[in-house]
Amino acid sequence: MIFITIDRSQSISLTQQIYDQLRNGILDKQLKEGEKLLSSRELASSIGVSRNIVLEAYERLIAEGYLEVRPKAGTFVAEGTSLSFIERKKKKDLSKKNSESIKAFIDFKAGNPAIDYFPRKKWAQLSKEICLHSSEEVFGYGEASGAAELRDVLVDYLKRVRGVQCRAEQIFITSGATQGLKLITEMLGKDNNSIAVEDPVTDEMRNIFTFSKAEIIPVPVDENGIDPNGLPQTAPSFIFVIPSHQFPLGGILSIQRRLQLIEYAQKMNCYIVEDDYDSEFTYEGAPVPSIQGIAPNHVIYVGTFSKILSPGLRIGYVILPEELVDSFEKIKWFSDRHTSSLEQLVLARFIKEGYLDRHVRKMKKIYKEKRERLVTAIQQNFQHATIIGKSAGMHLVVDIPGIDFQPALIHKIQESGVKVYPIEQYSLEKGKHKERIVMGYGGLSLEEIEAGVQLLGKTLNQN
Ligand SMILES: Cc1ncc(COP(=O)(O)O)c(C=O)c1O
């Protein structure tokens, strides 16, 4: 016999808890084949739950063949149920792991959106409708480029909000911007494997390029984005830019620099890859339209729903100049055939029926408030600090003169319960941004933002 324990603080149902423990007990041979179990009434009263809960767990185990009922004798562990031939791996001590990971950090990691605001109800309603009422084709293989419904909707949506100029045939739905960038690197790296990359830049995206063995050519970035005067003399396969809210420095690329970039791409006959990942959230002035809208033949535009909706959806898109459509189609098909059709259809309806606009408006207000709380907290705690790149997105940069955010200090800050990220971590040319950290606020509550800055202040003042 094994002891069944019930934890009412867990989100797992009581039936599931009993089911799990009995099933694991059988597989681990703590409950032997042929062993008689307590009656449902006895077990229920010994662990303090209603008999129906135990009965439900027993019925599932009977249906799955772990238990058998012998008339007038009781419920027994069925034959052939133990994993005698498999050395089961010792389970990790999950309780220990959980308590370690719960060590409450206030994590100012950039790029974490407020997932607690995901529009679950509407999404669930649309998912149900689409699942029940779509034609059968939806459940078969689709086009590599993605669901036509979503691509059609995106043509209008992106034209309206980002000034993007394209036809639906130029759009490919990808598993996030990450897959889009990986496939672009693969496609363009065949003939020329050098990529001009903003420095500093998100390591997550840069690692995609280095993983593909590309030669990275760093181009300096300042508070106004990439400096086109630093572009290489020989043509790279593409220039990777984040013009609407550079990561990490947060600059918005000026129109003069945008035009310089386009001139360079024309002259060198190379592409600009424009990552427009959090452009919907602009708090000061009107959003600057995409570079793609000015030079659609020279720009590959990459977008994502990870920031405006949820990274868990894994839906992004790539918009290509016409001449690259066929190559990209092959590469996407070989990679994963296509992105999940059902989610694409849900998203298409979500956009078409105006829910995305509503959600973005709501989130903009929420992020704006978080941003203001962070700015105020920084100003109160660090009188000499300068805040950079706060006019859009979900992160900003703090420059504190006289503080060198070297690894030992970052570690000390972390020990106080706060995680911040030094700009140097994202820099190829080291030593230019020692006094700067990036702070993301999208996924934190107002209280966490304030508490986090105060803790940071305490550590830095001791230093
Ligand atoms: C610069 C940049 N672009 C795009 C993304 C989004 O990637 P994905 O769409 O794969 O979630 C991220 C993720 O944090 C990012 O930092």
Side-chain angles (χ1 to χ4, degrees):
M1 195 52 215
I2 56 168
F3 289 105
I4 305 282
T5 53
I6 289 297
D7 181 354
R8 291 180 192 274
S9 66
Q10 282 192 34
S11 55
I12 305 167
S13 72
L14 299 182
T15 303
Q16 186 71 38
Q17 291 184 34
I18 298 168
Y19 166 88
D20 286 343
Q21 290 174 58
L22 286 174
R23 182 176 169 275
N24 290 339
I26 294 169
L27 291 171
D28 286 343
K29 291 196 281 189
Q30 292 173 58
L31 280 167
K32 308 267 178 319
E33 291 177 13
E35 187 172 334
K36 186 177 178 194
L37 297 193
L38 291 179
S39 72
S40 54
R41 198 184 305 277
E42 284 168 329
L43 181 56
S45 87
S46 77
I47 58 177
V49 300
S50 83
R51 188 176 165 218
N52 278 347
I53 287 173
V54 177
L55 271 177
E56 212 181 304
Y58 275 17
E59 273 160 21
R60 274 185 64 190
L61 291 161
I62 292 163
E64 291 171 19
Y66 290 99
L67 299 181
E68 61 189 15
V69 178
R70 296 187 197 157
K72 297 204 180 118
T75 306
F76 294 81
V77 178
E79 298 295 320
T81 47
S82 62
L83 282 171
S84 51
F85 53 94
I86 297 175
E87 189 55 43
R88 299 192 86 211
K89 275 191 204 145
K90 255 197 162 305
K91 281 217 205 87
K92 281 188 197 151
D93 186 347
L94 284 179
S95 57
K96 192 166 163 227
K97 184 156 184 276
N98 282 345
S99 63
E100 272 167 13
S101 55
I102 287 166
K103 194 180 172 191
F105 281 123
I106 297 176
D107 191 350
F108 284 96
K109 184 166 168 45
N112 281 348
I115 45 177
D116 44 338
Y117 284 94
F118 184 77
R120 288 186 192 224
K121 271 197 190 140
K122 184 45 72 183
W123 198 267
Q125 182 208 324
L126 293 175
S127 300
K128 188 175 172 194
E129 281 172 25
I130 284 161
C131 189
L132 291 178
H133 304 300
S134 293
S135 68
E136 273 184 6
E137 281 135 57
V138 168
F139 299 91
Y141 286 114
E143 302 279 322
S145 50
E149 289 85 339
L150 179 56
R151 291 183 292 121
D152 286 342
V153 165
L154 279 179
V155 171
D156 295 334
Y157 174 75
L158 292 173
K159 186 170 180 188
R160 176 164 55 84
V161 301
R162 303 296 306 128
V164 167
Q165 306 280 347
C166 70
R167 298 185 306 119
E169 290 74 14
Q170 292 168 260
I171 304 181
F172 280 79
I173 308 301
T174 55
S175 178
T178 304
Q179 187 192 37
L181 284 169
K182 169 82 178 71
L183 299 182
I184 292 167
T185 311
E186 215 175 292
M187 175 177 68
L188 298 180
K190 272 185 277 167
D191 306 321
N192 172 357
N193 209 12
S194 67
I195 305 171
V197 176
E198 295 172 330
D199 182 25
V201 76
T202 158
D203 46 357
E204 287 174 19
M205 297 303 152
R206 197 183 56 223
N207 288 342
I208 298 175
F209 309 142
T210 42
F211 184 72
S212 300
K213 303 210 168 39
E215 184 201 347
I216 303 290
I217 306 169
V219 184
V221 168
D222 59 25
E223 287 75 7
N224 301 312
I226 190 168
D227 179 0
N229 296 319
L231 286 164
Q233 298 300 315
T234 50
S237 61
F238 64 87
I239 314 157
F240 176 69
V241 282
I242 313 176
S244 56
H245 188 230
Q246 204 272 339
F247 189 93
L249 290 185
I252 298 178
L253 198 65
S254 67
I255 185 66
Q256 289 79 6
R257 287 188 175 186
R258 284 169 194 246
L259 296 177
Q260 266 180 282
L261 263 189
I262 295 168
E263 271 171 23
Y264 175 91
Q266 279 169 340
K267 192 170 109 204
M268 294 293 193
N269 195 24
C270 67
Y271 294 101
I272 298 166
V273 173
E274 175 175 22
D275 181 345
D276 214 11
Y277 74 110
D278 69 357
S279 54
E280 282 84 351
F281 302 123
T282 306
Y283 314 109
E284 293 167 14
V288 180
S290 66
I291 306 182
Q292 196 275 356
I294 314 174
N297 295 334
H298 289 280
V299 177
I300 302 174
Y301 182 85
V302 180
T304 180
F305 288 95
S306 289
K307 311 299 165 182
I308 49 175
L309 269 173
S310 144
L313 283 178
R314 304 312 304 136
I315 299 187
Y317 46 92
V318 171
I319 302 179
L320 297 144
E322 308 261 2
E323 76 267 14
L324 294 177
V325 167
D326 288 347
S327 312
F328 198 85
E329 184 172 18
K330 286 195 193 88
I331 260 175
K332 169 68 179 163
W333 184 255
F334 297 148
S335 167
D336 62 355
R337 301 215 163 191
H338 60 81
T339 300
S340 161
S341 306
L342 278 178
E343 294 289 16
Q344 292 185 53
L345 294 180
V346 178
L347 179 56
R349 283 268 304 274
F350 193 79
I351 300 173
K352 200 170 178 179
E353 293 176 14
Y355 299 111
L356 184 66
D357 286 333
R358 229 179 281 170
H359 182 67
V360 169
R361 274 200 300 276
K362 175 176 158 185
M363 295 315 296
K364 214 165 141 171
K365 271 196 206 140
I366 290 166
Y367 290 137
K368 196 165 180 211
E369 196 183 356
K370 291 184 181 194
R371 178 190 82 136
E372 271 153 27
R373 192 64 70 90
L374 178 58
V375 169
T376 309
I378 293 167
Q379 286 165 344
Q380 282 168 351
N381 284 273
F382 313 105
Q383 265 99 43
H384 304 296
T386 311
I387 298 171
I388 303 164
K390 66 177 168 58
S391 56
M394 291 182 279
H395 74 264
L396 49 76
V397 171
V398 189
D399 185 318
I400 310 181
I403 306 268
D404 181 354
F405 287 99
Q406 26 72 25
L409 178 56
I410 293 294
H411 186 72
K412 203 168 158 194
I413 295 168
Q414 190 163 323
E415 280 187 334
S416 79
V418 180
K419 270 180 129 175
V420 291
Y421 298 81
I423 297 288
E424 285 289 301
Q425 170 183 331
Y426 305 104
S427 305
L428 288 166
E429 195 186 323
K430 298 290 178 196
K432 280 165 84 177
H433 303 280
K434 286 179 166 182
E435 299 173 338
R436 293 172 167 183
I437 47 172
V438 60
M439 296 178 83
Y441 50 86
L444 295 177
S445 67
L446 296 172
E447 294 72 31
E448 284 171 323
I449 291 171
E450 243 168 50
V453 176
Q454 271 173 22
L455 283 170
L456 180 64
K458 258 195 208 160
T459 312
L460 296 188
N461 288 335
Q462 287 163 7
N463 222 39

